[in-house]
Amino acid sequence: MKGVSMTGYFISAMINQLFKNEKLEITLQINCMVRGLGYRFSRGDLKISGTSGNETGALMKGGRLEVVGDGGDFMGFRMSGGRLSVKGNAGTDLGREMSGGVIIVNGSAGITAGRGMTGGEIFISGDVGRFPGFEMTGGELNIQKPL
């Protein structure tokens, strides 16, 4: 919709309301970085095409969130369940303070991927920054660099 601006947090709240009663699949096409998409996401399937902004999938509790494009910083921040898939690169602090769920990145991740993790799994199939797993006390961080 031309001329309409909504934050990712507002969009996520609307999507969570839609998923309350039945399982739906929603695809969003974005052409700019929108902060907070998938915030507190808990059920259903949400596919985002384009570059997502910071905090995509933050506080995610369940469901499946797929980003076809690059993501910003703090993706999956304090995530406790669900599956976050990124078909591109992720920014700094991927999965920070994550306690459950799965994050899959088909690309590179910035510094401190998995920082402060206590549970869950992160799979990265590209380069990572300087301090992967910094302050990590649980969970799994799998990094597979391409040859």
Side-chain angles (χ1 to χ4, degrees):
M1 292 171 25
K2 227 175 192 179
V4 175
S5 176
M6 291 189 282
T7 68
Y9 301 108
F10 179 71
I11 293 169
S12 296
M14 289 185 348
I15 290 169
N16 278 330
Q17 287 298 315
L18 288 173
F19 283 122
K20 271 190 172 178
N21 297 322
E22 58 184 276
K23 184 173 178 174
L24 298 172
E25 184 174 326
I26 296 177
T27 301
L28 295 175
Q29 175 69 42
I30 56 176
N31 58 8
C32 64
M33 293 181 74
V34 178
R35 184 178 180 156
L37 282 169
Y39 179 76
R40 293 187 182 224
F41 193 65
S42 59
R43 60 178 69 100
D45 295 332
L46 175 60
K47 183 176 181 179
I48 300 166
S49 296
T51 302
S52 70
N54 294 347
E55 300 176 10
T56 298
L59 301 174
M60 190 171 161
K61 299 174 185 176
R64 293 176 52 191
L65 176 58
E66 180 181 356
V67 177
V68 180
D70 293 333
D73 298 336
F74 297 99
M75 291 188 82
F77 175 70
R78 290 194 176 168
M79 184 175 165
S80 61
R83 179 183 173 118
L84 173 59
S85 175
V86 184
K87 295 187 176 173
N89 299 318
T92 300
D93 280 333
L94 171 73
R96 183 173 181 167
E97 299 177 20
M98 179 177 166
S99 62
V102 176
I103 298 176
I104 300 168
V105 178
N106 294 326
S108 299
I111 63 172
T112 63
R115 180 178 182 174
M117 266 180 82
T118 60
E121 298 174 285
I122 298 178
F123 299 92
I124 302 169
S125 64
D127 291 326
V128 292
R130 257 181 150 171
F131 306 108
F134 182 69
E135 297 178 335
M136 191 174 154
T137 59
E140 290 184 38
L141 178 58
N142 299 287
I143 302 164
Q144 189 171 32
K145 288 185 176 183
L147 296 175

